[in-house]
């Protein structure tokens, strides 16, 4: 016998009694159908299109009662509960008993998503008293017990629950692959308007994502939460303790030992946190409060304060992986910091920061900055100031002196009237620097002056051969845009009794992996005797002028330029040693290697020359070589034109040279001391 009944629903008020009446209505519908039949039936099937309750909605229900065998089965097409939709639920009860006073099921089997096939189920209930117990045994030592107690109390206890089963109930957890065992309970009572509590304990917990960016193992944690109904909403509080295990949230590695306590209200679609504190190693206090609009998904207001963070403790764990992941293990921090953050309508509107002897360094001492002390106040809609004192810094042997930074902050704008940073025996001086942060990054303008720096000190600090001279610069047009720095002006280096000037300097992504530099360089009256002596190139007397136009560096390696070197005009001694000839001839490619050995010039240590000239136009990894314009033999180009007694010419023949091969060729010739090509 099959009976089909129309949809039924239960209003929110007095839900349990109303649900009883709904079930009775459905059974009555079925019984009337039975009575209307000509003969009694041993099996009764009841189909309900939809059953609506404040806690759930069930659709396509099918209840089958076997009076002869005292068995029953229930099938539910879909069940909407707690915001989730479950499909294909089935309960088989081989020993079913239903009276006015008793509803029981022994030896039952429940089939549902996330549960093992045919989880054992037992049910004992008193419909009159509206009490009962339902017990599920999922596996050995893994049970869930649901109780309806007197006075409308509800309680759920679970022991040894496998966290992996949550993936069936919450599909969004599937990619996290949760693991571990859960013990605890949840309880609700309608007394005093309604109140509930929850206690959870996780042992041997963990998770892992397929991309390897998030993982945890050996996690032990407890959570205790409670809520009480009040006029218009709920008051709640929660306490979460992480007692064991470790976790990785790229790029942060975290260890157990933290505790979070929070309290607040839930009123309609507004969730507020009136007080939240986080206890963790290295920070005296972390506190927060806020309000979140659940319907709109907007953080309406929030505040966060961090008091007296010991950077030596929190720096390696939280700051180093974010700032320099590749050097995180070598980065050291010192000092203390405090701060605050204010958010309104999902937007940051205030930041406070204070530093007390804060600083960082790399193990080994090649890089350090600070200590730094002072304060920074920022508001989105008002003028504030930052005042910081920096004791200095160091990069290898390049030392920065102490300086003060005073800045005016107004919304997205930063104004630095003047900033002088001592560097070696000079300084970098920024004037009227004004910056603005937009959607794409920082932009602004100012000026930069490099007060004279001693080149001997600078080259020593950079690990270069010592050079004499002075470096200075006047760059009145310093411009900054997202990913780019443009310097309008001239950088001048007085070196080797001449000078070198850099113009049209432009940097793109200077701190990125694809850093790009563009510049034009001109050098005048460079003393070859000092230059060749400094770099052990051999001995050359005289002077040269040089120009490098359209220099482009990508990742700090040259990819394009037009470079030309030629003897400076004027009257001065011009001599070149065999060693220098050897190195210059390396630039011209293969030639008559034994020519100098077959001539009487091989008996001389140095030679007179009239002019030196060399050019290289680099593009696509190929250097198009050239030399002096006049008097070159067919197929070749003159690098050195002889003059005086004895005199010689150096001729190059290969005009297209791979740039890397050119660099390697120079290194091989210098290291091997091979004989030069002389004509």
């Amino acid at each position: 016998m099959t009976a089909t009944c129309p949809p039924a629903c239960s209003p929110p008020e007095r839900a349990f009694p109303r649900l009883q009446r709904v079930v009775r209505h459905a059974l009555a519908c079925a019984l009337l159908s039975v009575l209307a039949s000509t003969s009694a039936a041993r099996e009764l099937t009841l189909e309900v299109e939809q059953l609506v309750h404040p806690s759930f909605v069930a659709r396509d229900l099918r209840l089958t009662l076997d009076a002869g065998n005292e068995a029953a089965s229930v099938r539910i097409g879909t069940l909407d509960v707690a915001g989730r939709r479950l499909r294909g639920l089935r309960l088989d009860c081989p020993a079913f008993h239903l009276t006015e006073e008793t509803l029981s099921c022994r030896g039952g089997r429940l089939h549902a998503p996330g549960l093992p096939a045919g989880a054992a189920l037992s049910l004992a209930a008193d419909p009159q008293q509206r009490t009962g117990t339902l017990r599920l045994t999922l596996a050995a030592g893994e049970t869930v017990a649901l109780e309806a107690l007197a006075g409308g109390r509800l309680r759920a206890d679970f022991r040894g629950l496998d966290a992996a089963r949550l993936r069936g109930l919450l599909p969004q957890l599937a990619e996290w692959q949760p693991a571990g065992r859960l013990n605890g309970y949840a309880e609700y009572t309608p007394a005093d308007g309604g109140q509930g509590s929850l206690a959870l304990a996780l042992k041997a917990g963990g998770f892992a994502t397929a991309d390897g960016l998030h993982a945890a193992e050996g996690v032990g944690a407890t959570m205790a939460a409670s809520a009480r109904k009040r006029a218009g909403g709920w008051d709640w509080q929660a306490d979460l303790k992480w007692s064991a295990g470790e976790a990785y949230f790229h790029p942060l590695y975290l260890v157990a030992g933290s505790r979070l306590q929070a309290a607040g209200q839930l009123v309609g679609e507004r969730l507020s946190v009136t007080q939240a504190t986080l206890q963790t190693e290295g920070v005296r206090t972390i506190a927060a409060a806020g309000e979140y609009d659940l319907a709109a998904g907007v953080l309406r207001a929030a505040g966060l304060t961090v008091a007296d963070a010991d950077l030596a403790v929190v720096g390696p764990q939280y700051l180093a992986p974010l700032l320099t992941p590749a050097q995180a293990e070598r980065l050291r921090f010192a000092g203390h910091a405090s701060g605050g953050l204010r958010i309104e309508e999902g937007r940051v509107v205030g930041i406070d920061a204070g530093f007390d002897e804060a600083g960082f360094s790399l193990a080994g001492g090649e890089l350090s900055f600070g200590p730094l002390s002072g304060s920074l106040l920022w508001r989105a809609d008002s003028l504030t100031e930052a005042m910081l004192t920096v004791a200095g810094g160091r990069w290898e042997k390049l030392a920065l002196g102490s300086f003060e930074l005073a800045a005016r902050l107004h919304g997205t704008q930063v104004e630095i009237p003047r900033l002088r940073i001592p560097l070696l025996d000079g300084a970098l001086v920024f004037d009227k620097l004004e910056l603005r942060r937009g959607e794409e990054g920082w932009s602004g303008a100012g000026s930069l002056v490099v007060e004279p720096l001693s080149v001997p000190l600078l080259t020593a600090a950079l690990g270069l051969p010592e050079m004499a001279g002075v470096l200075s610069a006047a760059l009145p047009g310093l411009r900054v845009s997202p990913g780019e720095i443009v310097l309008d002006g001239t950088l001048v280096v007085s070196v080797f009794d001449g000078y070198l000037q850099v113009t049209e300097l432009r940097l793109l992504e200077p701190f990125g992996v694809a850093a790009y530099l563009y510049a034009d360089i001109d050098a005048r009256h460079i003393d070859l005797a000092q230059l060749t002596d400094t770099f052990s190139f051999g001995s050359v007397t005289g002077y040269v002028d040089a120009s490098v136009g359209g220099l482009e560096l990508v990742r700090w390696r040259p990819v394009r330029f037009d470079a030309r070197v030629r003897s400076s005009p004027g009257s001065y001694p011009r001599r070149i040693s065999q060693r220098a000839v050897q190195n210059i001839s390396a630039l011209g490619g293969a030639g008559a290697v034994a020519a100098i050995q077959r001539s009487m010039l091989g008996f001389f240590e140095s030679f007179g020359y009239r002019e030196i000239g060399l050019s290289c136009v680099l593009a696509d990894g190929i250097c198009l070589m050239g030399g002096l314009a006049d008097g070159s033999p067919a197929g070749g180009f003159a690098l050195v034109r002889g003059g005086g007694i004895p005199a010689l010419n150096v001729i190059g023949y290969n005009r297209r040279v791979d740039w890397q091969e050119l660099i390697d060729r120079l290194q091989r010739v210098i290291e091997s001391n091979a004989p030069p090509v002389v004509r």
Side-chain angles (χ1 to χ4, degrees):
M1 172 67 65
T2 299
T4 301
C5 297
C9 64
S10 172
E13 67 274 9
R14 299 178 56 83
F16 196 93
R18 293 299 179 105
L19 180 60
Q20 270 194 320
R21 287 195 289 271
V22 168
V23 174
R24 288 174 180 172
H25 167 78
L27 290 175
C29 172
L31 290 174
L32 288 174
S33 299
V34 172
L35 294 174
S37 64
T38 57
S39 61
R42 293 176 56 85
E43 183 177 284
L44 172 66
T45 298
L46 172 66
E47 294 180 351
V48 179
E49 180 181 344
Q50 179 173 278
L51 183 62
V52 181
H53 182 268
S55 301
F56 64 84
V57 176
R59 297 181 179 85
D60 300 327
L61 283 81
R62 183 182 179 89
L63 170 64
T64 301
L65 300 176
D66 187 340
N69 296 319
E70 294 189 343
S73 66
V74 179
R75 287 168 172 77
I76 302 177
T78 61
L79 177 65
D80 295 336
V81 58
R84 302 300 308 166
R85 171 164 291 186
L86 306 178
R87 300 180 182 275
L89 285 79
R90 188 175 90 248
L91 170 62
D92 296 320
C93 185
F96 178 76
H97 187 63
L98 174 63
T99 68
E100 284 288 332
E101 297 82 13
T102 304
L103 171 63
S104 66
C105 173
R106 299 188 307 276
R109 293 287 175 179
L110 177 63
H111 303 266
L115 301 181
L121 178 146
S122 64
L123 171 66
D126 184 340
Q128 294 291 337
Q129 299 296 323
R130 297 195 294 274
T131 61
T133 300
L134 184 150
R135 183 181 181 87
L136 279 173
T137 302
L138 307 179
E142 188 179 5
T143 62
V144 177
L146 306 176
E147 292 182 278
L149 305 171
R153 291 174 56 209
L154 300 175
R155 181 182 175 94
D157 288 274
F158 34 92
R159 296 288 179 268
L161 186 62
D162 188 351
R165 301 195 190 284
L166 298 177
R167 289 181 289 179
L169 298 175
L170 302 172
Q172 60 267 37
L173 294 180
E175 63 175 312
W176 291 84
Q177 303 178 46
R181 295 286 174 174
L182 286 167
N183 295 285
Y185 73 89
E187 187 172 355
Y188 171 78
T189 177
D192 299 326
Q195 52 188 306
S197 59
L198 172 68
L200 293 175
L202 175 64
K203 293 183 178 180
F207 56 81
T209 57
D211 56 14
L213 298 180
H214 307 93
E217 63 180 8
V219 174
T222 60
M223 185 180 75
S226 62
R228 180 182 294 272
K229 187 72 178 294
R230 66 176 180 84
W234 293 81
D235 291 334
W236 62 269
Q237 59 184 13
D239 188 349
L240 176 63
K241 299 178 184 178
W242 182 16
S243 57
E246 54 192 358
Y248 177 72
F249 288 87
H250 180 74
L252 301 178
Y253 171 75
L254 309 174
V255 294
S258 300
R259 180 180 183 181
L260 174 64
Q261 295 174 289
Q265 292 86 37
L266 175 62
V267 180
E269 297 293 337
R270 293 289 181 104
L271 174 65
S272 64
V273 179
T274 56
Q275 181 181 8
T277 59
L278 175 64
Q279 300 173 14
T280 190
E281 184 182 10
V283 184
R284 179 165 58 85
T285 304
I286 301 177
E291 183 177 288
Y292 188 77
D293 189 330
L294 298 174
V298 176
L299 186 61
R300 296 299 182 187
L304 171 69
T305 60
V306 178
D308 197 21
D310 186 346
L311 298 180
V313 177
V314 302
Q317 186 169 6
Y318 300 106
L319 300 180
L322 295 173
L323 298 175
T324 57
Q327 300 286 344
E329 295 184 357
R330 300 182 58 218
L331 202 56
R332 304 291 183 265
F333 295 84
H336 293 77
S338 300
L341 180 70
R342 180 68 184 170
I343 297 174
E344 293 181 1
E345 299 299 328
R347 186 172 64 96
V348 178
V349 297
I351 297 175
D352 296 348
F355 304 95
D356 182 13
E357 296 292 310
F360 68 87
S361 62
L362 280 179
E366 66 266 33
L367 175 66
S368 65
F369 184 82
L372 175 151
S373 298
S375 62
L376 182 152
L377 304 177
W378 175 82
R379 299 293 181 267
D381 55 359
S382 61
L383 180 64
T384 58
E385 292 185 350
M387 181 62 71
L388 303 173
T389 300
V390 182
R394 177 176 294 276
W395 175 48
E396 298 291 349
K397 297 181 181 179
L398 197 63
L400 299 178
S402 61
F403 62 93
E404 291 187 351
L405 170 61
R408 292 191 293 266
L409 314 176
H410 192 180
T412 59
Q413 301 179 52
V414 179
E415 298 179 8
I416 303 175
R418 182 177 174 83
L419 174 61
R420 186 180 186 275
I421 304 176
L423 176 62
L424 297 177
D425 60 342
L428 305 177
V429 182
F430 296 89
D431 272 317
K432 299 179 180 178
L433 187 59
E434 298 181 0
L435 302 173
R436 178 188 295 270
R437 181 171 178 80
E439 294 183 358
E440 297 182 357
W442 288 96
S443 60
S447 65
L448 170 63
V449 172
V450 180
E451 295 182 353
L453 297 174
S454 169
V455 172
L457 292 178
L458 182 61
T459 52
L462 297 177
L464 299 173
E466 183 175 345
M467 307 178 199
V470 174
L471 182 149
S472 63
L475 304 166
L478 170 62
R479 302 196 308 274
V480 178
S481 59
E484 181 179 23
I485 300 175
V486 178
L487 299 171
D488 291 339
T490 304
L491 175 68
V492 178
V493 182
S494 299
V495 67
F496 300 131
D497 201 28
Y499 68 89
L500 180 150
Q501 65 179 22
V502 182
T503 58
E504 302 297 330
L505 184 58
R506 185 167 73 249
L507 291 168
L508 299 178
E509 301 292 345
F511 306 109
V513 296
Y516 172 89
L517 178 145
Y518 179 91
D520 290 332
I521 303 174
D522 285 298
R524 294 294 181 266
H525 201 67
I526 300 299
D527 188 335
L528 289 174
Q530 295 183 32
L531 176 65
T532 54
D533 181 63
T534 298
F535 292 98
S536 301
F537 192 81
S539 177
V540 182
T541 61
Y543 297 90
V544 293
D545 297 337
S547 66
V548 182
L551 172 63
E552 296 182 38
L553 304 183
V554 175
R555 298 180 182 177
W556 306 111
R557 295 179 178 273
V559 296
R560 188 179 301 275
F561 60 73
D562 184 349
R564 301 178 186 277
V565 179
R566 190 154 185 169
S567 295
S568 302
S571 177
Y572 46 81
R574 307 186 189 205
R575 302 288 294 181
I576 182 169
S577 69
Q578 286 197 32
R579 178 64 173 166
V581 170
Q582 174 181 327
N583 290 328
I584 293 176
S585 62
L587 303 178
V593 176
I596 191 171
Q597 297 172 340
R598 293 195 300 265
S599 79
M600 65 176 183
L601 297 180
F603 295 102
F604 294 94
E605 291 295 327
S606 66
F607 314 95
Y609 72 92
R610 185 171 52 179
E611 194 173 12
I612 293 176
L614 172 66
S615 67
C616 169
V617 179
L618 177 63
D620 300 324
I622 300 298
C623 185
L624 183 61
M625 303 289 297
L628 298 170
D630 302 325
S632 301
F637 53 94
L639 298 173
V640 178
R641 182 174 296 140
I645 299 175
L648 83 163
N649 295 319
V650 178
I651 307 300
Y653 293 97
N654 188 0
R655 290 188 177 272
R656 295 178 57 84
V657 180
D658 181 270
W659 171 252
Q660 189 58 50
E661 173 61 25
L662 179 62
I663 300 301
D664 294 342
R665 185 186 300 167
L666 267 173
Q667 292 176 342
R668 287 196 302 268
V669 171
I670 293 172
E671 293 171 358
S672 65
N673 198 26
V677 179
V678 181
R679 295 219 172 187

